[in-house]
Amino acid sequence: LFLNLSLHAESRGIFLYFLAALLNNDKQCITEVLKKVNKNCSDADEEDDVGANFPPFTLLGTGPELTESVNRYNLPMSRRRNGEHMSFTLSSSLPASARGSCGAESIPPAVARRIILMLTVLSKSSPRVAFSMLTASTEQSEDVVCEGSTISCLERLLDLLEISLYSKSAANLEQLLSLLEIVASPLSLLPKEDQEVDLSPTGSSPGKEWVKVPRVAVSEKRLHLLINTLRLESCKESSFIKINALTRRLSRVEANRDFILRELALVAQGLGADAIRDLRSVSVRLSSAAKLHQQKLESSNDISTDAAEDSSKNDAVAGTPSSAVSLSTGSSELKLLRVLQTLNSLCIEFAHDENAKSDGYSAEFASLCQSIDLESLWNQLSSCLRTVSVLEGVTNFSSLDDNDEDTNDDDNDVDNNDENALTGESGKKLQNSVAGLITRFLPAIEAFFMVNASSSSQTSDATEPENTDTENNRLVQFVAGNKVLLNALLRSNQNLLEKGLKAMVKMPKCRPFLDFDVKRQWFKTQARRLRQQANRRHGSLRLNLRRKYVFEDSFHAFNHRSAEELRGRLQITFVDEEGVDAGGLSREFFAILAKEMFNPNYALFMSTEDGCTFQPNPNSNINLDHLRYFRFVGRIVGKAVVDGFLLDAHFTRSLYKHMLGIKPTHNDMQAIDPDYYKNLQMILQHNLEDIGLELTFSIEDHSFGRSKTIDLIPNGRNITVTEERKEEYVNLVCQHRMTTAIEQQIKAYLEGFHDMVDSDLISIFNAKELELLISGMPDIDIDDLKRNTNYNGYRPADREIEWFWNILFSLSRSEKAAFLQFVTGSAKVPLAGFSELQGMRGIQQFSVNKVTGSKGALMSAHTCFNALDLPVYKSEEEMREKLLYAISEGAGGFLFA
């Protein structure tokens, strides 16, 4: 009935205004409007009186016997006394708060909910109703009956937010916000520019209205009510989503947007102060738990000797179970995160820079964040996380005590935390739980990333290089100091890398602090998504190959397909074979290609001195189609990576760097040609006159029996290398051998590889991790390594050697691979085992050398000789700590060689 009545424009306006005023208990305007309507109606009874007792404040149908004196104690007696009449039964079953009262100041809550529900249904069913509620319900003229009659229904509904019926009830608040969201939905059709949009179809036909979306400017008071609703306890997740959508629609009007942004910033400031108080309370509880556990450790150490007691006190690592400290997530931190998300979404939606939408942050959001003083909150968060690190067994008690002594100097705290994180603590794992207590601080951590990642994304484009320095970037410092905790959090919730913690993959300086397994899982997720999209568009990639000619048949099949087609699911069948590919045939397919790509007959790759790694052959042009073959090999490697297949193919470190877009250094020459690298090092370390070398900026190339002089710089053959420019000469020589001489081959290979793997996805890894991603973790037999190990200065029965092998046997698979790469330069195990481990002089077995005069120093490796320099340590635990640090931090370069 109401829907049909709403077809008449004047009736619809009065009807909607009447209901909105009724919800606001605007009795005067209601009665005046009704009197005006009755006056204009010819059939109205002149004796009708709508004044004193309208609206009624009890539910119609409630018997007069049911008064406030009927409470929950005498209700059964009242039912029996009234003979269980249906109207009395229905009325009495309602709670007293819903029935209303003659002395109440508002209509019964049950009636209010019914009105809001009816308006919601009408707005959904008829666009005319929603448009009418956006504008004033009665036109302003000489016969305006009351001051409030020029206020739109939208504004009337916003006024309800200050009534306790809605501000203190989560269900009522959500119902009201649902109505507001529907009423404001036409505003989403407004463009960002100052022009109107008509909603009628092209060439409007009879029965259609030509409607323009009104630009509703809401008063600041009502916008303040709406935004501050985010701070209410009754504002749950569903209500937050509706407020987010409502503010975005209202922000389409420029008059509303600026105030909404400022108000959101003020709300964030207030929530930040609330969050600080919550975190301080949490910090007290955490510190008490840490000190209590420290006392238990000290009392348990009393039975040991004094020396052992002192050592254990200084180096004891906490291990309090996470369940021993139960903490609930603070609502203020969660609300702060929600407000920042709303603020960011508004800024991105109206950003003119397209990069802001791809990065997820805009310059306007960064500017607003700077106006919100949250520095104290971040300091308190860092303090809590330091205590959590102790409780989770990541750091020791002494580091916590040091931080407690310096609480008045926040800058020193941050510096000390970073130094610890970068010098050994980052290699540890959580001892007690997967994500542990850090889950409690997730909303605050996400808020920290939002604010600081936005500022970092803006300063990254600054001309001053110091602005992007790791030491001056708070976000990088935070990630470095809490590396172990953040990685544990990401293992428990991988989606965080696409949401709140996406800066850890977006910012290059944060990527090194991600563990390899976290990176690999994120990469697999992205690759799976791309593969599913390709499957929907092109279907599976089906190849029918001849087993004797797998390489040639695959070459032609791949070259005739686009990159998008090749991303689909691979289905391999062999001619004259009945095998069905459920993964096994595809695995065999990649195994065959991994061997054939290094076939000398194709002249595509050449092995390095150790015979284990390969790089492009500078003379591959003997094969006329060599560039097409390199592109094919790049596609094969990329396809294997995105599909999760491992290749028994190990390339040189310089080629891995080219795949990551990183420029190789002269240290990478060591793995390609150790003798040549040794000669270059001699040039750098000695005076050229002393070693009797007269060099020019040119090199001699000997290919196919011909000698050719190649200039490293213009006219380089006539320019002598001086002592001041010898470092430039070494860099140019290495650049020529690793890049310039094989530039075309590398370009073709990378073109094929990036057809399969986007450069933004693969760039999250470093060169060492990329090798493990392509070739996988090798099965390392420690017993075989022990049988083929030589000792210099040590004997097999020495306690240090026993500790060493005990540690190696206890390592995980990934740690064993990292150790092998640290001491040999590659994670690949020789096909014949460690008895044929290749070194600078051919077969060169692994050796352990005793280092005297440097007790407690870090161990070092000589990858050319497969040798490990092992100092003398006081205990097995100290040796383990030094070894884990060496393989995690020293395997990325030749810093210790």
Side-chain angles (χ1 to χ4, degrees), residues 219-236:
S219 66
E220 293 185 355
K221 174 186 175 182
R222 295 181 175 91
L223 291 177
H224 174 79
L225 281 174
L226 176 63
I227 301 303
N228 278 269
T229 305
L230 293 168
R231 298 190 64 178
L232 300 177
E233 285 296 328
S234 56
C235 184
K236 307 302 180 183

Side-chain angles (χ1 to χ4, degrees), residues 155-166:
E155 294 176 296
R156 285 282 192 177
L157 294 175
L158 288 172
D159 288 336
L160 298 177
L161 294 173
E162 62 181 341
I163 300 177
S164 60
L165 176 64
Y166 304 96

Side-chain angles (χ1 to χ4, degrees), residues 154-216:
L154 175 66
E155 294 176 296
R156 285 282 192 177
L157 294 175
L158 288 172
D159 288 336
L160 298 177
L161 294 173
E162 62 181 341
I163 300 177
S164 60
L165 176 64
Y166 304 96
S167 61
K168 295 183 179 180
S169 171
N172 292 342
L173 178 62
E174 183 177 356
Q175 186 187 34
L176 176 60
L177 292 173
S178 298
L179 174 58
L180 286 169
E181 185 182 7
I182 297 172
V183 171
S185 58
L187 297 179
S188 61
L189 301 173
L190 286 176
K192 300 171 188 176
E193 294 77 14
D194 189 14
Q195 64 182 30
E196 300 294 343
V197 174
D198 65 87
L199 301 181
S200 61
T202 304
S204 59
S205 57
K208 300 290 185 179
E209 285 186 83
W210 182 276
V211 184
K212 290 187 177 181
V213 179
R215 292 183 173 271
V216 181

Side-chain angles (χ1 to χ4, degrees), residues 610 819-828 834 837-838 846 861-864 866:
D610 61 2
F819 171 79
L820 185 60
Q821 188 150 19
F822 175 68
V823 297
T824 68
S826 174
K828 183 179 179 180
F834 289 105
L837 189 64
Q838 295 291 321
F846 174 61
H862 304 276
T863 56
C864 297
N866 302 325

Side-chain angles (χ1 to χ4, degrees), residues 550-567:
V550 172
F551 194 78
E552 291 81 359
D553 290 354
S554 302
F555 169 73
H556 294 294
F558 271 60
N559 280 342
H560 289 87
R561 285 177 169 84
S562 65
E564 188 68 19
E565 292 177 292
L566 293 176
R567 288 197 180 98

